[in-house]
Amino acid sequence: MTKLFDRIFCFLSRHKLLALLAVAAFIAVGIGVALNMEYEEDISKFLPENEEQKKNKTVYESVSDQQKVAVIFTSADTARVMAADTLTEAMETFAAAFEAIDTAGIVENMTVAVDDASAFEMVEFVYANIPYFLQDADYRRIDSLLAQKEYAAEQLRRDKEQLQMPATPLISVMRYDPLGLFSPVAQRLGQLSPDAGFDIRDGYVFTADGKNSLMYFDTPFGMVESKDNQRLTDMLSQAADSMAAQWPGVKATPVGSSVIAVGNASQIKRDSLIAMTLSVVVILLLLVLHYRRLSDLWHIAASILFGWLFALTGMYFFRDSVSVIVLGLGSVIIGICVNYPLHYLDHLIETGDTRRALRDMTAPLLIGNITTVAAFLCLVWLDAKAMRDLGLFGSLMLVGTILFVLLFLPLFAKPHSPGKARLNINVDFLSLDNKRQRRLFMTLTMLLTVVFGYFSLKTTFDSNLQNINYMTADQRQGLELMSGNMPSPGVYAVAEGKTRQEAAQVNDSLTHVLSSNHAAVRGIGAYLLTPEKQQERLDKWKEFTETHPDLYSKLLPAMTAEGFAADAFSPFGELLHKDFEVEDEDYFSTLTSQITTGYMVENDEGVKIVNYITADEALSDSLCAKVNGAVPGAFAFTPRDISSSLVTMLNDSFNYIGFVCGFVVFFFLWLSFGRMELSLLSFLPLAVSWLWILGLMYLFGVKFNIVNIILATFIFGQGDDYTIFITEGLIDGYARGKEQLKSYKRSVALSAVVMFVGIGTLIFAKHPALRSLAQVTVIGMFTVVMMAYYLPPIVFRWMTMKNDRKRMVPLTLPRLGRTVLAFTVFLLLMLGLKVYTWFYFLFKKDEEGYPSGDMQVCQICDEQNPRREYRHLRHACQYFRHSECGGVQPSVAPRPLRTALLVAKNSVSHKPVGLAQSFLWQHNPPSEFHTRERRHRGELAQDTTPV
């Protein structure tokens, strides 16, 4: 490849005008593509999804008021409780101001007060058609009430008292139910209201403590429509200011997904602008001090611009749209791309020759680019669409940048004047000149790697998107207020079908399963009536009226006694005698049109009916297990399932990124260097730094999220570039005698400082997602640079040097393998010989037929039946030395001594073998040995003369 790019350079250097026109034409095309590209801003596209996750998420987002915006009114002074009348008047003022501002009519259904007329119309419809909505439990309750003799009279008396109170809208339904027989139906209907967790005062919605009131509306814009949501938020702010001018003691806080999304976007812009301004100033200052001329800065900028437009043009052909967040994360990729022009320009300063600099840098630049591109391409197979786009965009940008650096940059970059001063950035703070320092560093590194490796297993994911969203204190307090007053279901049980009727039939089966498990279900299943269910309930109503044929006639005397007119409750009498029939779906539209919000999801895929069950964690899991798979067309999940499923998928994605990127990088390192030893040498800093990063993140309390997990690929990208250059410098110095390691280290240091400043400035951001990026970057850059600086040189020195001199042949894996094999064989042989020797001396017999190991009491140490003869040979030495001085005159030598004598006698050279025999030889000549032995055997008379 070096020769190929050298030939291209020779050709283009003779046709510079052609090269310049090609670059200009491509930039013009790229700008045109960028202007015509479609962009989207949905951060949820970074979340991985499978079919189950997508289905659960669709239902959850549809029923959890994602499109609803609430405006909470409360006292501006937290220590003061604002009067209810003041809050209601402030709400009316806000609504009037907003209506005046919203000239385009963006919001059409702003609810300041509950629409009592439509609500009571719905209730009256239910009472007029009560047979369709009564359940078995209602009939049992009715029978028990009617069995009480005085119940009718007492109930009519309570009705009369209620009529004497100020008029209430519910009095109209009393005509259908004077005895309160059907009140459970109305109670169940009231539980379906979205305001069920709040108090309704004169039609206005208040929290239970009366400190806050709220109004709400549905926004026509999705979370990703930032411009429209920004316009809506601005109108809400203007209306709040107008209201505050008239009611200074009242504070209005808009709360909702779209409002929070706008706040996130605004905060990201502010934080990014501050961080970018600060980083650009610092980076420009560093580069100007380093290169001392503006042309080099233009060359760096042109390289990155070419790569960015190259990536955008490629995305135009592969994708219909691209996420703006992906383009924003391009700043991370720029940190990798900037390495290529920096390394080339730095080496050009060192060599002073454009062509030589190109030949020297082609190999390391290409190796680093191939491995990094391969790492980014690993993202293409993830489940999240935005992550796939990021992998493709990053790969294309890296390819475009390296092409510009190798094809066009050498044509326009000029060498510096010799001896020109420049900024020398050096982060090599540790001095590892002698062996003791290197051993100490490696020992500490290994110990810390074990410690951080242990803690790396405890690094967790934060799947709660609220933790990476930016919210003001008022918005966070408003969300807590809303969630605290709304019932929180433990289980969402969903029945799905292609039509309402089909979904309702599935829902009947689902409700039966839930009821058999004694679950408290809140849903609209009782009001979605299939023809079969209608007929069943009408049959029960007919049975009831036949059981109580004179119910209304018996009521008339009690009515007269309480002063009611004879026709006061005539609708009740008509209800008892009316013949009801099975009706079609449209007949119940007065009811269903008002209760399906939050309980039914209708889209192109069909209809889903949602039931809410309040249950603890154990019961929730049990219900989900019984519903899923047991009821065809139904499924159940908990909000916890969504987050746990997300954590599992993120964890799988994280493991995929770690293992696959690592394998791909290692494979291309091996392919590029051609030696397993060099690829392991380059990969070692990556593996160690990754363990350090995870361990340090756990110790500092930094968690992975859907934003900073992207830096996993970035770490591999930066790390392999750094280690490749350090390894290339070591190879050049050893094999070719080129001392380029210091130059490469300076380039790595400059690149690391630029990236550290570029992303590290986000540490001052208020947005949690941006701040998490900076935290991981600071930890990652520190570990990657330190490992790249020190690990490869130390290991390379061990492979090529011994005692500060070059080895005859460097250490290689085959040589190490043969050495380890030989040493292993040696250890096994020694172990076998040791076992054999132990058994040999244990069972060997002496001349008298006794086992040599079966000895009697040693006269020196008094040890019973010793097993180790060499110990008693030592004792024999002590015996002879002691007997020399006349201290011992034994009649019979102890057996250990006899053994020593036998060894000496049988020696051909009459020289004892071993330490004990040599000591015996020194103090006792051979003749005395023989004399002692013969006397011991009885061949000589016993002599008491000391030896």
Side-chain angles (χ1 to χ4, degrees):
M1 294 300 289
T2 302
K3 293 182 179 179
L4 173 63
F5 283 101
D6 185 52
R7 292 174 183 173
I8 294 174
F9 170 76
C10 293
F11 174 78
L12 292 179
S13 61
R14 296 191 300 270
H15 305 85
K16 286 188 177 182
L17 181 59
L18 177 63
L20 185 62
L21 290 175
V23 172
F26 181 82
I27 291 178
V29 171
I31 293 175
V33 168
L35 294 177
N36 290 280
M37 194 79 176
E38 293 185 10
Y39 303 96
E40 57 183 22
E41 303 179 358
D42 190 359
I43 193 173
S44 64
K45 293 293 182 64
F46 279 92
L47 295 175
E49 284 185 345
N50 54 26
E51 288 301 322
E52 180 182 356
Q53 175 83 3
K54 184 178 180 180
K55 185 166 60 174
N56 294 347
K57 181 183 173 184
T58 300
V59 173
Y60 183 75
E61 290 182 349
S62 299
V63 301
S64 58
D65 296 332
Q66 294 289 316
Q67 299 296 109
K68 192 177 291 296
V69 175
V71 183
I72 301 175
F73 296 82
T74 186
S75 173
D77 185 1
T78 56
R80 179 186 175 190
V81 178
M82 191 63 63
D85 292 341
T86 305
L87 291 177
T88 57
E89 292 177 2
M91 292 169 64
E92 294 290 352
T93 303
F94 180 93
F98 185 86
E99 184 177 358
I101 297 171
D102 185 16
T103 55
I106 296 176
V107 176
E108 299 178 354
N109 59 343
M110 179 172 286
T111 303
V112 181
V114 177
D115 186 3
D116 292 338
S118 60
F120 294 128
E121 180 185 358
M122 177 182 65
V123 173
E124 188 170 2
F125 173 82
V126 170
Y127 271 93
N129 296 274
I130 201 65
Y132 296 102
F133 308 110
L134 289 174
Q135 301 177 2
D136 292 343
D138 300 329
Y139 284 109
R140 290 193 294 269
R141 176 181 175 274
I142 292 172
D143 290 338
S144 65
L145 292 177
L146 294 179
Q148 303 174 20
K149 293 182 179 181
E150 301 298 328
Y151 173 75
E154 291 177 1
Q155 184 61 38
L156 288 173
R157 191 176 304 113
R158 285 193 290 269
D159 292 343
K160 182 179 179 180
E161 293 174 356
Q162 189 173 359
L163 290 171
Q164 293 173 352
M165 295 180 181
T168 60
L170 287 176
I171 292 178
S172 61
V173 302
M174 188 185 297
R175 301 170 63 241
Y176 293 93
D177 186 20
L179 298 180
L181 302 178
F182 313 136
S183 56
V185 177
Q187 293 173 2
R188 290 195 296 269
L189 193 62
Q191 293 175 356
L192 300 179
S193 172
D195 305 318
F198 298 88
D199 288 343
I200 307 298
R201 303 181 184 180
D202 297 329
Y204 296 95
V205 182
F206 284 80
T207 56
D209 56 9
K211 295 181 179 179
N212 308 278
S213 64
L214 65 144
M215 56 187 292
Y216 50 87
F217 61 89
D218 292 329
T219 171
F221 310 123
M223 291 180 58
V224 299
E225 300 176 65
S226 298
K227 293 182 179 180
D228 295 326
N229 283 326
Q230 181 66 59
R231 185 173 52 163
L232 177 61
T233 303
D234 292 340
M235 289 192 297
L236 290 172
S237 299
Q238 294 176 26
D241 294 339
S242 178
M243 182 274 301
Q246 188 171 348
W247 303 96
V250 180
K251 179 176 63 176
T253 304
V255 177
S257 300
S258 57
V259 177
I260 293 174
V262 170
N264 271 276
S266 300
Q267 190 62 43
I268 288 175
K269 290 176 183 177
R270 286 193 294 269
D271 289 340
S272 301
L273 182 61
I274 295 173
M276 190 178 298
T277 303
L278 181 61
S279 60
V280 165
V281 170
V282 176
I283 290 173
L284 283 178
L285 181 62
L286 288 173
L287 294 179
V288 167
L289 292 176
H290 183 72
Y291 291 110
R292 303 299 176 95
R293 64 183 186 187
L294 293 177
S295 60
D296 288 340
L297 303 186
W298 286 113
H299 293 150
I300 295 173
S303 302
I304 295 173
L305 177 63
F306 187 91
W308 190 80
L309 292 176
F310 184 88
L312 206 57
T313 305
M315 293 292 290
Y316 181 80
F317 292 103
F318 288 108
R319 295 287 189 268
D320 296 331
S321 61
V322 63
S323 173
V324 206
I325 303 173
V326 169
L327 300 183
L329 291 172
S331 61
V332 177
I333 307 171
I334 288 174
I336 304 176
C337 294
V338 76
N339 290 336
Y340 305 144
L342 284 179
H343 289 316
Y344 175 80
L345 293 175
D346 263 27
H347 198 62
L348 181 61
I349 295 174
E350 292 290 330
T351 60
D353 186 347
T354 302
R355 190 173 180 182
R356 179 187 168 189
L358 176 62
R359 288 198 300 265
D360 290 344
M361 297 304 296
T362 297
L365 285 178
L366 279 179
I367 295 173
N369 180 261
I370 291 172
T371 54
T372 310
V373 168
F376 270 96
L377 284 177
C378 293
L379 300 178
V380 174
W381 284 273
L382 290 178
D383 295 324
K385 179 181 180 299
M387 294 290 278
R388 296 196 295 268
D389 289 350
L390 178 63
L392 183 60
F393 181 82
S395 303
L396 292 173
M397 187 170 179
L398 291 168
V399 171
T401 305
I402 195 66
L403 288 177
F404 184 88
V405 170
L406 295 180
L407 295 178
F408 302 110
L409 185 59
L411 301 175
F412 307 111
K414 302 300 180 183
H416 284 242
S417 303
K420 187 175 181 179
R422 60 181 177 138
L423 179 65
N424 185 16
I425 300 177
N426 183 20
V427 295
D428 193 358
F429 302 110
L430 299 179
S431 176
L432 303 177
D433 297 330
N434 57 60
K435 183 183 293 186
R436 184 170 178 272
Q437 292 173 338
R438 291 191 292 272
R439 286 181 175 177
L440 178 61
F441 175 82
M442 291 300 294
T443 302
L444 290 176
T445 301
M446 287 187 289
L447 289 176
L448 289 176
T449 301
V450 172
V451 173
F452 292 145
Y454 170 75
F455 287 118
S456 68
L457 301 175
K458 300 183 179 182
T459 307
T460 57
F461 291 92
D462 186 1
S463 61
N464 188 357
L465 295 183
Q466 298 295 337
N467 294 335
I468 57 173
N469 277 332
Y470 175 80
M471 288 185 287
T472 64
D474 290 338
Q475 288 176 339
R476 194 175 296 277
Q477 184 179 0
L479 280 180
E480 293 174 356
L481 178 68
M482 296 289 291
S483 60
N485 283 273
M486 294 292 288
S488 178
V491 179
Y492 293 84
V494 185
E496 55 183 348
K498 295 187 179 299
T499 63
R500 284 193 177 189
Q501 290 291 336
E502 185 178 338
Q505 291 175 355
V506 175
N507 192 69
D508 289 342
S509 303
L510 174 61
T511 306
H512 177 72
V513 173
L514 296 174
S515 301
S516 63
N517 287 275
H518 308 288
V521 182
R522 180 167 56 91
I524 61 174
Y527 306 99
L528 298 177
L529 304 174
T530 62
E532 294 80 10
K533 183 184 289 186
Q534 291 183 48
Q535 188 62 56
E536 179 184 352
R537 291 186 176 180
L538 291 179
D539 291 342
K540 290 182 179 180
W541 174 257
K542 184 177 180 180
E543 180 182 351
F544 168 73
T545 56
E546 290 176 352
T547 306
H548 305 279
D550 54 353
L551 177 59
Y552 185 71
S553 60
K554 290 181 179 180
L555 186 63
L556 291 175
M559 292 169 52
T560 304
E562 294 297 334
F564 287 102
D567 61 346
F569 303 115
S570 58
F572 177 62
E574 296 171 1
L575 194 63
L576 294 172
H577 297 92
K578 182 179 179 180
D579 291 331
F580 291 92
E581 297 178 353
V582 175
E583 303 289 351
D584 59 12
E585 183 179 338
D586 294 337
Y587 178 80
F588 300 96
S589 60
T590 304
L591 170 65
T592 56
S593 62
Q594 299 189 50
I595 64 172
T596 55
T597 302
Y599 294 91
M600 182 180 292
V601 180
E602 294 184 274
N603 51 33
D604 297 337
E605 299 177 357
V607 180
K608 294 180 177 64
I609 300 173
V610 185
N611 301 277
Y612 303 92
I613 300 101
T614 303
D616 56 20
E617 184 174 340
L619 181 57
S620 298
D621 295 337
S622 175
L623 289 175
C624 290
K626 291 179 179 179
V627 171
N628 292 324
V631 181
F635 62 93
F637 65 93
T638 67
R640 188 180 67 258
D641 291 338
I642 297 177
S643 59
S644 61
S645 174
L646 180 60
V647 169
T648 301
M649 297 181 70
L650 281 174
N651 186 56
D652 293 341
S653 299
F654 173 75
N655 291 333
Y656 169 84
I657 290 173
F659 289 114
V660 176
C661 286
F663 173 78
V664 169
V665 168
F666 178 78
F667 175 77
F668 279 103
L669 287 174
W670 182 29
L671 197 64
S672 302
F673 285 119
R675 295 288 306 187
M676 181 65 71
E677 298 85 0
L678 295 178
S679 58
L680 288 173
L681 177 67
S682 299
F683 191 77
L684 178 64
L686 299 180
V688 174
S689 62
W690 187 240
L691 292 177
W692 279 47
I693 291 170
L694 297 180
L696 289 172
M697 285 180 64
Y698 172 78
L699 293 177
F700 287 115
V702 180
K703 295 183 179 182
F704 274 114
N705 53 53
I706 62 172
V707 177
N708 61 26
I709 192 177
I710 301 166
L711 289 178
T713 305
F714 162 75
I715 293 299
F716 277 104
Q718 283 289 82
D720 73 347
D721 281 351
Y722 294 163
T723 56
I724 285 170
F725 272 92
I726 298 298
T727 305
E728 284 285 347
L730 293 169
I731 294 173
D732 287 342
Y734 178 80
R736 306 179 187 92
K738 297 180 181 179
E739 295 298 331
Q740 298 183 148
L741 182 59
K742 292 183 178 180
S743 171
Y744 288 163
K745 279 191 172 184
R746 280 195 296 268
S747 298
V748 168
L750 179 62
S751 171
V753 171
V754 169
M755 177 51 58
F756 187 87
V757 173
I759 302 181
T761 51
L762 292 175
I763 198 70
F764 303 107
K766 294 182 179 180
H767 197 282
L770 296 181
R771 192 165 58 248
S772 70
L773 275 176
Q775 291 169 343
V776 176
T777 300
V778 170
I779 296 173
M781 292 304 300
F782 168 76
T783 55
V784 164
V785 173
M786 189 178 77
M787 294 305 155
Y789 251 61
Y790 298 112
L791 276 185
I794 291 176
V795 177
F796 190 83
R797 182 184 180 89
W798 171 72
M799 294 170 60
T800 58
M801 305 284 288
K802 185 176 181 180
N803 297 327
D804 295 330
R805 290 184 298 176
K806 280 189 176 182
R807 295 178 184 268
M808 295 293 293
V809 179
L811 290 179
T812 60
L813 288 179
R815 292 188 65 204
L816 288 175
R818 288 193 293 269
T819 302
V820 171
L821 178 62
F823 187 69
T824 303
V825 172
F826 170 76
L827 288 179
L828 293 176
L829 287 176
M830 291 300 99
L831 181 62
L833 288 174
K834 181 176 178 62
V835 174
Y836 169 77
T837 306
W838 188 81
F839 280 103
Y840 176 79
F841 283 105
L842 179 65
F843 297 106
K844 178 185 175 184
K845 304 226 175 156
D846 59 15
E847 296 178 359
E848 299 179 3
Y850 295 101
S852 60
D854 186 17
M855 299 182 179
Q856 298 176 354
V857 179
C858 177
Q859 295 186 10
I860 302 299
C861 65
D862 295 328
E863 183 176 347
Q864 181 71 32
N865 196 22
R867 295 292 184 185
R868 299 183 181 274
E869 294 189 7
Y870 69 87
R871 183 185 303 168
H872 299 287
L873 292 176
R874 187 172 67 250
H875 294 169
C877 298
Q878 296 174 358
Y879 176 83
F880 269 94
R881 187 172 63 251
H882 199 46
S883 63
E884 281 289 324
C885 63
V888 177
Q889 298 181 6
S891 58
V892 179
R895 183 162 297 175
L897 174 61
R898 186 176 64 201
T899 304
L901 295 175
L902 289 174
V903 172
K905 177 181 178 181
N906 293 330
S907 175
V908 176
S909 62
H910 296 287
K911 292 183 180 180
V913 181
L915 175 64
Q917 284 86 340
S918 64
F919 190 83
L920 292 174
W921 177 270
Q922 179 181 356
H923 292 278
N924 299 276
S927 59
E928 294 184 3
F929 272 15
H930 296 166
T931 303
R932 287 178 180 276
E933 178 64 9
R934 292 175 64 193
R935 184 180 294 117
H936 176 67
R937 294 188 177 188
E939 298 175 4
L940 297 178
Q942 292 290 338
D943 188 1
T944 58
T945 304
V947 178

